[in-house]
Amino acid sequence: MDTSACIVVGTDGTPSAATAVRYALGEGVRRGLPVRVVAAVTAPDYWTEALAGARNFPPLPDLRPIARETAQAQVAAAVAAEPALAAADATVVVVDVAAGPLGQALVDVADGAELLVLGHRGRGALSSALLGSVGLYCLVHARCPVTIVPPEWTPAPTSAQQAAQTSAQTSAQPPAGATT
């Protein structure tokens, strides 16, 4: 998939990444742009790989399918939670796996994109005020706008949802002058 005129979102399977995926899908629908969901995996250091082998962790070649499945599951969960995200036929979602240092892999994939979306872990008062190393790297090096989605982000209601809510509120209220 060509990254020009698309939205790229990085995911690692965490809840903050799931929030970023929901945000990116909503932006794709709103802007009428395809969304590229990228799970970046990095090769372990030689000592980490030896330790992983000793503990029966999957070797590097097996990490890519796992990362792809996790990203696909996050897309499916976002669409299941918000059916409006699936309603726009024009929004194409491509799940991809990029290898290399996480920040660099995301910046490379997002070269020429309309937007790069990342989640923010936000652990604790001090940590939530600080940006992680991947987010900071992308903000400094990306050649496109970068959005860091806070963990507490929720989508704004659509105009149809607002109209339905207003209608439900007015139908629940008794007419003016009515006695109960």
Side-chain angles (χ1 to χ4, degrees), residues 28-91:
V29 169
R30 190 176 72 76
R31 297 182 187 198
L33 292 173
V35 176
R36 184 172 183 182
V37 181
V38 179
V41 294
T42 185
D45 294 329
Y46 71 92
W47 62 269
T48 307
E49 194 168 328
L51 178 63
R55 295 193 180 191
N56 296 323
F57 289 130
L60 180 60
D62 294 337
L63 292 178
R64 293 173 199 228
I66 293 168
R68 181 182 306 278
E69 290 170 12
T70 301
Q72 289 170 332
Q74 284 188 317
V75 170
V79 170
E82 297 179 49
L85 296 178
D89 295 332
T91 302

